[in-house]
Amino acid sequence: MAVCVAVIGKDNSPLYIGGVGNDTSTDNELSRQWLVHTALDALEERLATTNTGNAGTNTNTARTDLRDLYLGLLYSTDTHKIYGYVTNTRIKLVLVTSSTSPSGSNIRDAEVRTALRRLHALYADAICNPFHLPGDQITSPKFDKQVKNIMMNNV
Amino acid sequence: MADDILFELLHSEIINYSLEQSKDNKEKKDMDLSVVEYIGFAAGYKIMERLTREWPRFKDELDTMKFICTDFWTCIYKKQIDNLRTNHQGVYVLQDNAFRFLTNFSNGHQYLEYAPRDIGIKMDSDGSKNLNHNIRSIAAYSIIKEIQELLGTLTLR
């Protein structure tokens, strides 16, 4: 199962970082932020290659693959796997799964893709809240609940 | 058709209302459009997240502009942009010959000075959308010749 989900703004500021597990522990919170932020470089790199790849000559199949919003597995550490998704509006969604737990280690790519797509839909709903100011952190408890739901059930 | 006119009426009422609110502060003729522009910005920011959700990644600036001129414009203004020109160095000129919020103006120069306030809301929804695409832009609009025509220039930096 996913241990952490993050929404990062286009200026790389964290809009939302949520995780399941020992929520109150400060260590846990910090390690989540650390995991997500180490993924940002990999994300940028992936985006850059996507752009230059499209400029060159590509086969059609490669092109559709590169133009997918879902970027796939960014990298994996001993304990975690980190997946990325960048929207057309440059909002970065990051999902971290634990490779030590049995449910997280044999997760399929398609499941992560679905989860991230659902997260994108939730994000689009959350910013349509009239009380949410553009660029602010997402504090909505409803969003939080739905994201936790995705993490527990789907992934 | 009836639901189209509702949005236009609401739009003109929003403009009137916000100008009425800001009238006390300023006696001069220049209008305080910041409220309207913020509405436009927020609406643009929110709607873009939805509109681009099912789209493949835009590969470059021109791709983004094409999206704005066709899909975005159709969604908001019920028609596509009439003319898009670019110098390929970051300047895009968008021309709309029958801009939705201006088509109800009568032809002639009588109301020309009032027209800018009606495009305030639009200008910013445009600006925010660009901003959302990580492109900093300066949008400047002018109404040319016939009052119903809108000429927008986007300078990307």
Side-chain angles (χ1 to χ4, degrees):
Chain A
M1 84 180 157
V3 289
C4 173
V5 155
V7 180
I8 316 281
K10 51 179 158 287
D11 48 356
N12 285 347
S13 60
L15 298 180
Y16 173 88
I17 294 185
V20 288
N22 305 341
D23 249 346
T24 46
S25 148
T26 327
D27 269 356
N28 221 333
E29 185 68 43
L30 273 178
S31 69
R32 266 185 218 127
Q33 295 213 6
W34 177 74
L35 273 172
V36 169
H37 281 87
T38 46
L40 286 179
D41 274 341
L43 259 180
E44 300 279 347
E45 204 173 282
R46 198 65 68 90
L47 274 183
T49 54
T50 304
N51 285 339
T52 52
N54 273 331
T57 50
N58 265 320
T59 59
N60 266 339
T61 49
R63 169 165 288 186
T64 51
D65 199 29
L66 283 171
R67 294 185 66 186
D68 198 349
L69 297 180
Y70 173 62
L71 293 177
L73 181 67
L74 293 177
Y75 69 92
S76 54
T77 65
D78 288 345
T79 50
H80 294 97
K81 281 183 176 159
I82 300 176
Y83 297 86
Y85 183 104
V86 179
T87 73
N88 269 323
T89 50
R90 306 279 170 187
I91 304 291
K92 304 169 185 78
L93 309 176
V94 176
L95 189 144
V96 184
T97 64
S98 154
S99 32
T100 47
S101 77
S103 57
S105 51
N106 49 14
I107 192 163
R108 281 202 306 271
D109 204 50
E111 290 177 57
V112 181
R113 181 191 296 261
T114 329
L116 281 170
R117 281 184 67 88
R118 280 177 57 197
L119 180 66
H120 187 189
L122 286 183
Y123 168 76
D125 287 346
I127 60 163
C128 280
N129 179 355
F131 297 105
H132 175 261
L133 300 176
D136 266 15
Q137 295 213 342
I138 301 171
T139 49
S140 148
K142 187 182 166 198
F143 178 75
D144 190 54
K145 204 175 129 199
Q146 284 170 323
V147 170
K148 297 256 160 77
N149 226 353
I150 289 185
M151 290 163 72
M152 302 295 284
N153 289 349
N154 214 18
V155 182
Chain B
M1 291 305 141
D3 46 348
D4 284 353
I5 198 74
L6 287 182
F7 176 54
E8 278 162 37
L9 290 172
L10 178 67
H11 173 260
S12 67
E13 279 308 313
I14 290 174
I15 304 282
N16 276 339
Y17 174 77
S18 56
L19 286 181
E20 197 67 30
Q21 295 296 97
S22 61
K23 204 163 70 178
D24 306 335
N25 310 339
K26 288 187 180 177
E27 293 185 356
K28 288 177 188 170
K29 212 177 173 186
D30 53 336
M31 296 159 291
D32 182 10
L33 285 176
S34 55
V35 175
V36 184
E37 281 172 1
Y38 176 72
I39 294 176
F41 171 79
Y45 183 90
K46 288 162 184 184
I47 207 165
M48 275 322 270
E49 195 59 56
R50 283 181 185 279
L51 286 183
T52 57
R53 203 167 72 196
E54 300 300 325
W55 273 70
R57 191 180 304 290
F58 298 128
K59 62 175 187 285
D60 53 13
E61 227 169 68
L62 193 63
D63 222 23
T64 315
M65 290 309 293
K66 278 187 203 155
F67 171 80
I68 291 169
C69 292
T70 55
D71 290 80
F72 174 78
W73 221 263
T74 317
C75 173
I76 308 283
Y77 307 112
K78 307 291 176 202
K79 69 189 281 297
Q80 294 189 0
I81 212 110
D82 292 303
N83 195 344
L84 168 66
R85 276 169 289 171
T86 176
N87 67 351
H88 296 288
Q89 282 166 10
V91 178
Y92 293 88
V93 178
L94 285 66
Q95 188 179 349
D96 192 338
N97 292 332
F99 187 60
R100 187 174 174 194
F101 297 142
L102 295 177
T103 45
N104 291 335
F105 277 61
S106 58
N107 256 331
H109 294 279
Q110 189 185 357
Y111 297 109
L112 204 56
E113 59 183 297
Y114 295 115
R117 65 183 198 188
D118 264 4
I119 61 172
I121 193 170
K122 180 246 152 215
M123 179 168 132
D124 239 65
S125 69
D126 221 30
S128 80
K129 168 178 33 46
N130 276 292
L131 189 114
N132 236 359
H133 279 109
N134 214 12
I135 300 169
R136 286 180 190 283
S137 67
I138 291 181
Y141 289 87
S142 49
I143 303 161
I144 49 159
K145 288 178 276 179
E146 296 296 312
I147 197 166
Q148 289 164 3
E149 283 183 25
L150 176 84
L151 190 71
T153 314
L154 288 173
T155 315
L156 309 175
R157 293 198 291 192

